[in-house]
Amino acid sequence: MIKKAPLLLLMIFVVSCSANHAVVRTTKSDPRKTETPVVQRVRKPIYRPATMKNPVAITKKDSPTVGNYSTATEVLEATTRVKATTEMVLAYIENYKSVAKDNMIRTGIPASITLGQAILESGAGTGPLSVQANNHFGIKCHKEWTGPSIKYTDDEENECFRKYNQPSESFKDHSYFLTSRPRYAELFEFQKDDYKSWAYGLKAAGYATDTKYPDKLIGLIEKYQLGRFDAEVLGKDYVPVVNKPIAYNSDVQKYTVVKGDSLYSISKKFNISIDELKRKNNLTDNTISLGQSVIVK
């Protein structure tokens, strides 16, 4: 019995050691499987804006009362050279049409002339004199002026121009300027809605030194249909002006510049070179203004 005891202890020791060993598997692993972890890649969705089945073209109306105008920039040149869009001119007309009509009732000066001159002289309110001095007509000081003034280079360097507290004072002074000077007296013999005679009469009386002043003024009046305000004051029906080439005689033909025109397009339209156009119209560069009359023949 004693001899068997060591043998029993030896058997218990061997069994305990076998339990602590790791189990070794002889089965081969499946070659289609991998132990490397799989990373899922999620593609970022691509944004594609939705398209309309029936797309609608969006257009812009510049004026519901005057007609369709583009917003192209035009050159307005008188006491200064400025650029203004058609929208700016239309807004200017809307702001000062009542003042011009009131002045017509009070003085007899056509509202179309007042507005046309104001647009031309002030660049629709964007010129230096109108911005800095509320002077919308380029009226110089003259010897009788005792109010505030501003220096500005026009025909001569640092000339004296009148300065006003607000634009309406400039409009009122413009009317007084024309009614109080004998040299403009003949203008009041014209019909109150005869803006063409008034335009040429102003130039003849010495209001402006620009030889093309009447054509520029008439061009603006007709482009923006300013004669309708004269008709409103006089209680007449207004007939809109249709701009088209004007033949003065068999030797001379003039064309009124409209939106989109250039010297190049006009030269092609009338089969004349650009240099010849510049020579006939005494142009030093290729700049032309909307409403300007250009000699084409």
Side-chain angles (χ1 to χ4, degrees), residues 212 253 255 262-283 285 288 294-297:
K212 300 176 183 177
Q253 183 180 359
Y255 171 77
S262 65
L263 280 185
Y264 176 79
S265 65
I266 294 174
S267 70
K268 293 299 182 182
K269 184 179 296 184
F270 295 97
N271 194 26
I272 183 175
S273 69
I274 294 177
D275 289 339
E276 185 67 4
L277 275 175
K278 293 170 68 174
R279 187 189 66 78
K280 285 180 177 292
N281 294 276
N282 296 319
L283 299 176
D285 56 29
I288 54 177
V294 179
I295 298 174
V296 295
K297 182 179 178 181

Side-chain angles (χ1 to χ4, degrees), residues 223-239:
K223 171 178 168 56
Y224 294 101
Q225 307 292 331
L226 301 183
R228 70 188 189 275
F229 301 122
D230 299 339
E232 289 175 9
V233 171
L234 299 174
K236 295 182 177 181
D237 293 331
Y238 176 67
V239 179

Side-chain angles (χ1 to χ4, degrees), residues 34 47 68:
T34 177
Y47 174 73
N68 292 324

Side-chain angles (χ1 to χ4, degrees), residues 15-297:
V15 171
S16 62
C17 289
S18 299
N20 289 333
H21 282 301
V23 177
V24 178
R25 299 181 184 275
T26 59
T27 306
K28 293 183 178 180
S29 61
D30 191 339
R32 294 175 299 177
K33 296 181 180 180
T34 177
E35 295 181 358
T36 304
V38 177
V39 178
Q40 292 185 340
R41 299 183 182 275
V42 180
R43 295 184 65 184
K44 186 176 181 181
I46 300 173
Y47 174 73
R48 292 183 176 88
T51 56
M52 298 177 63
K53 293 182 179 179
N54 298 307
V56 178
I58 300 175
T59 57
K60 181 177 182 180
K61 286 186 177 180
D62 296 297
S63 171
T65 57
V66 180
N68 292 324
Y69 294 96
S70 74
T71 56
T73 301
E74 58 187 279
V75 177
L76 299 175
E77 182 179 357
T79 58
T80 185
R81 182 186 183 88
V82 298
K83 293 183 178 180
T85 64
T86 299
E87 274 189 329
M88 293 165 62
V89 177
L90 291 174
Y92 185 88
I93 293 169
E94 189 66 23
N95 287 336
Y96 297 108
K97 63 182 182 182
S98 296
V99 177
K101 289 165 66 176
D102 290 341
N103 282 348
M104 180 176 178
I105 295 171
R106 182 171 50 85
T107 66
I109 301 171
S112 59
I113 287 292
T114 300
L115 279 173
Q117 284 193 279
I119 294 169
L120 186 58
E121 297 284 349
S122 73
T126 65
L129 285 175
S130 56
V131 173
Q132 300 175 31
N134 287 318
N135 189 336
H136 287 230
F137 295 89
I139 299 179
K140 298 178 182 180
C141 292
H142 302 287
K143 60 182 179 181
E144 72 274 14
W145 180 251
T146 58
S149 62
I150 186 174
K151 297 294 183 181
Y152 181 76
T153 299
D154 184 30
D155 297 323
E156 298 177 5
E157 188 175 357
N158 291 327
E159 291 186 275
C160 182
F161 286 85
R162 302 182 184 190
K163 184 176 181 180
Y164 306 94
N165 293 323
Q166 53 189 0
S168 60
E169 295 179 4
S170 175
F171 278 76
K172 183 177 180 180
D173 198 29
H174 169 262
S175 296
Y176 176 75
F177 187 83
L178 295 182
T179 57
S180 63
R181 281 166 167 70
R183 62 176 174 167
Y184 299 115
E186 291 185 1
L187 297 175
F188 295 88
E189 297 179 6
F190 301 132
Q191 295 293 323
K192 290 184 174 62
D193 56 354
D194 186 3
Y195 59 83
K196 290 185 178 180
S197 294
W198 273 81
Y200 287 106
L202 282 166
K203 176 64 180 69
Y207 186 93
T209 56
D210 185 357
T211 58
K212 300 176 183 177
Y213 191 85
D215 290 336
K216 293 179 181 179
L217 182 55
I218 293 170
L220 282 172
I221 291 173
E222 294 185 345
K223 171 178 168 56
Y224 294 101
Q225 307 292 331
L226 301 183
R228 70 188 189 275
F229 301 122
D230 299 339
E232 289 175 9
V233 171
L234 299 174
K236 295 182 177 181
D237 293 331
Y238 176 67
V239 179
V241 178
V242 178
N243 292 318
K244 58 183 180 180
I246 303 172
Y248 288 88
N249 54 51
S250 59
D251 298 322
V252 177
Q253 183 180 359
K254 289 188 177 182
Y255 171 77
T256 301
V257 177
V258 297
K259 175 180 67 70
D261 279 337
S262 65
L263 280 185
Y264 176 79
S265 65
I266 294 174
S267 70
K268 293 299 182 182
K269 184 179 296 184
F270 295 97
N271 194 26
I272 183 175
S273 69
I274 294 177
D275 289 339
E276 185 67 4
L277 275 175
K278 293 170 68 174
R279 187 189 66 78
K280 285 180 177 292
N281 294 276
N282 296 319
L283 299 176
T284 58
D285 56 29
N286 292 342
T287 302
I288 54 177
S289 306
L290 287 177
Q292 179 180 343
S293 289
V294 179
I295 298 174
V296 295
K297 182 179 178 181

